[in-house]
Amino acid sequence: KLIYIMKYAIVEISGRQFWIEKGKYYDFNRIPTELGKEISLNRVLLLNNDGDVLIGKPYLESVQIKGKILEHLRGKKTIVYKMRPKKKTRRKQGHRQEITRVLIEDILVN
């Protein structure tokens, strides 16, 4: 039986919670920072460090996650369609969310 234990963190960013691992990239709501700049995620809710689980109350102050901004892009188009039945009222509107792609470089524990 093979048991694979990894290092991951659950982070709150832009109003949502993400399961984050080192070396992967994630799409967050737009972060107003220029490309290639290093950012630090400090709202860490949970950290699993090879089976050693740390839970924050509400955040872990000793954990820092380093990331790098790869690109700014826009999400897929979603259609917002409003219609009132039996009235001749229809409204169609498109929306594309502004997104920032961030590469997670390291998860540091002090």
Side-chain angles (χ1 to χ4, degrees):
K1 190 173 184 179
L2 180 67
I3 299 174
Y4 179 68
I5 300 172
M6 58 190 174
K7 187 174 188 178
Y8 66 86
I10 295 178
V11 175
E12 180 184 314
I13 183 167
S14 64
R16 296 186 293 170
Q17 295 178 4
F18 292 91
W19 175 306
I20 282 187
E21 297 174 33
K22 180 182 172 186
K24 296 186 177 181
Y25 64 84
Y26 298 90
D27 291 339
F28 303 129
N29 287 344
R30 177 61 56 96
I31 301 170
T33 317
E34 54 268 7
L35 292 177
K37 192 165 182 196
E38 302 283 327
I39 62 167
S40 173
L41 309 177
N42 49 11
R43 289 188 181 174
V44 181
L45 300 166
L46 182 139
L47 175 79
N48 185 345
N49 193 357
D50 296 326
D52 181 31
V53 178
L54 300 170
I55 299 173
K57 296 178 184 172
Y59 304 120
L60 289 168
E61 304 297 326
S62 63
V63 180
Q64 196 116 33
I65 295 177
K66 301 285 181 195
K68 181 179 167 186
I69 294 183
L70 294 179
E71 59 179 325
H72 296 298
L73 55 137
R74 299 178 82 193
K76 281 182 63 175
K77 181 175 248 189
T78 56
I79 306 295
V80 181
Y81 190 75
K82 295 186 178 177
M83 183 187 119
R84 292 182 63 197
K86 302 187 190 98
K87 313 281 188 271
K88 284 197 170 176
T89 305
R90 286 162 172 73
R91 206 173 102 215
K92 181 177 178 182
Q93 182 181 0
H95 173 77
R96 289 184 72 182
Q97 185 69 33
E98 300 285 325
I99 288 175
T100 299
R101 184 163 284 173
V102 176
L103 174 71
I104 303 300
E105 293 180 326
D106 204 6
I107 299 175
L108 303 170
V109 184
N110 296 338

